Amino acid sequence: NLLWTGSGGSDWNTTPANTNWADIDDSNNPAPFATNDNVTIDTAATIAVDAGCVSPGNVLVSATTGTISLSGGAISGLSLAKSGRSTLSIDGTNSFSSGASLEGGILTMENPDALGSGIISLNGGTLNIPAAVTLVANTLSVGTSSGVIDTDDDVIFSDSFSTSGAGIEESNQLTKTGAGVLTLTR
């Protein structure tokens, strides 16, 4: 269980000398990232993901202010969870086998594959889709804390749409903002 510190720079890789992380289970001592480590990012940062890919377990972005940028290589993890009032900008052709969840703040997907191919769960917060992204092939789920989709251009969600809970109720609201048209095809 690692916590991002960025004390050694901005690179996220598996180089043993790269101690940009603190080991939560070892008194927050500096530590390198290793495959399958669970990682938490709770502070604003610009992080350069290794071009060869990194493979964490779960990725939690919980910063309450600022912007977190994950760009460069691919992230192949179990899940991505975004909470807090910060903004997360994510690039790369990523995969999260258990999907991505948004519970607060803003999550900007810089390309169609930024969140992998799993379910995108909105349960609070705003999913921002910039003009470069016009087709999203993920299943979209809206939870009881609702969610916002902000599109800069026309966007099509080509997979299914669902709500959690007892059906579509006042608490399962999907709000659309931005200049683009949002199309849900299934």
Side-chain angles (χ1 to χ4, degrees), residues 20-186:
N20 284 328
W21 302 90
D23 188 338
I24 296 170
D25 301 324
D26 184 22
S27 303
N28 288 329
N29 285 318
F33 168 80
T35 298
N36 296 324
D37 282 342
N38 294 317
V39 299
T40 298
I41 303 167
D42 71 350
T43 185
T46 299
I47 300 171
V49 178
D50 187 71
C53 183
V54 293
S55 298
N58 297 305
V59 178
L60 171 62
V61 178
S62 59
T64 57
T65 61
T67 299
I68 299 89
S69 173
L70 298 174
S71 63
I75 301 170
S76 176
L78 296 177
S79 68
L80 171 68
K82 163 70 178 82
S83 62
R85 295 181 307 275
S86 63
T87 297
L88 169 61
S89 173
I90 186 166
D91 200 349
T93 301
N94 304 308
S95 62
F96 299 101
S97 59
S98 296
S101 64
L102 174 60
E103 296 180 0
I106 299 170
L107 173 56
T108 300
M109 51 187 304
E110 298 292 347
N111 74 57
D113 299 313
L115 300 179
S117 60
I119 295 173
I120 299 173
S121 300
L122 296 178
N123 202 23
T126 298
L127 178 63
N128 174 255
I129 304 174
V133 178
T134 57
L135 177 66
V136 179
N138 303 70
T139 295
L140 179 64
S141 173
V142 178
T144 56
S145 292
S146 301
V148 176
I149 295 182
D150 178 23
T151 62
D152 294 344
D153 204 346
D154 297 352
V155 175
I156 297 171
F157 271 81
S158 64
D159 210 330
S160 60
F161 173 75
S162 67
T163 62
S164 62
I168 298 177
E169 300 177 13
E170 184 177 332
S171 62
N172 294 95
Q173 291 184 1
L174 175 63
T175 302
K176 161 63 180 78
T177 62
V181 173
L182 174 63
T183 303
L184 304 173
T185 60
R186 295 190 208 183

